[in-house]
Amino acid sequence: MPRLLTLFLVLHWAVLFSLLAGLAVFGGDGGGLTFLGIDMSGQDIFLASVPVMKATVSFGFAICSVLFWWAFVTFFVSPGNRVAGDEVLRMAFSTASGLMTLMLVVGTIKATAGLFPAMAAHFAALIASYVAIRAERQLDPHQAVDGGEARLAARVKAIDASRTARLSRFVTAYDGQRSFDR
């Protein structure tokens, strides 16, 4: 069964970070940050118009975009290989969370009008998406068991079977006499 919510959310974040990366580079005044609802004026617009600043913000968004596109392709192409897809997805969400946290810190320090609420809303949406994807994974009835879990389950069953066999041998050998007399 395909994980439709996962595919949709990963595609959403891939497209969003792609747009943000493009807007950060090619956006007019403010480096495309007005798209997020951030009011850039005065000295802040000068800071956001610096090419190095635009390139840095765009690079962060582009890295997040590439990771989400990679996760989307991994889930779409090989739905049976969930371990690799989950690793890429974890990496994409952690990178995006780190970028949003950095933007939150910059918004707090610089006190640019609108940066903190916009980044906080995106950060909350990112976390909600990750929780929804994890919940979908937990609800998946056809979830593939990890190799370590399968070995552990097999070992527990083998130990239980050996104890049952020893107990049945002991019970059938005991005919009312003490077992050490034999």
Side-chain angles (χ1 to χ4, degrees):
M1 178 173 140
R3 294 164 41 174
L4 295 178
L5 181 64
T6 300
L7 288 173
F8 174 74
L9 287 174
V10 170
L11 178 66
H12 164 75
W13 287 110
V15 169
L16 180 78
F17 279 114
S18 297
L19 286 173
L20 288 174
L23 284 173
V25 171
F26 300 117
D29 293 336
L33 294 177
T34 54
F35 175 74
L36 296 172
I38 300 166
D39 182 31
M40 302 298 278
S41 60
Q43 186 179 9
D44 293 335
I45 197 155
F46 174 72
L47 182 65
S49 298
V50 174
V52 172
M53 209 49 187
K54 287 171 112 176
T56 304
V57 172
S58 176
F59 183 72
F61 286 142
I63 291 294
C64 292
S65 172
V66 166
L67 288 171
F68 278 109
W69 280 115
W70 183 15
F72 178 73
V73 168
T74 303
F75 279 124
F76 192 70
V77 171
S78 60
N81 189 3
R82 295 186 179 175
V83 175
D86 286 341
E87 283 295 319
V88 175
L89 192 63
R90 251 190 310 259
M91 194 174 10
F93 272 108
S94 63
T95 304
S97 297
L99 179 66
M100 291 297 166
T101 302
L102 183 65
M103 297 285 283
L104 278 170
V105 169
V106 167
T108 304
I109 292 171
K110 191 65 180 152
T112 302
L115 183 62
F116 187 81
M119 288 300 119
H122 282 93
F123 189 61
L126 193 69
I127 291 174
S129 296
Y130 183 72
V131 169
I133 288 171
R134 297 304 295 172
E136 184 183 37
R137 178 169 166 72
Q138 295 298 325
L139 293 176
D140 190 7
H142 302 294
Q143 178 180 347
V145 178
D146 190 28
E149 293 176 17
R151 281 193 299 271
L152 180 63
R155 183 167 188 242
V156 168
K157 287 181 181 181
I159 290 171
D160 187 41
S162 70
R163 286 182 182 160
T164 304
R166 275 189 280 151
L167 183 63
S168 67
R169 246 184 307 157
F170 176 73
V171 170
T172 57
Y174 184 73
D175 58 356
Q177 299 174 355
R178 289 181 283 171
S179 60
F180 61 85
D181 288 342
R182 291 185 177 216

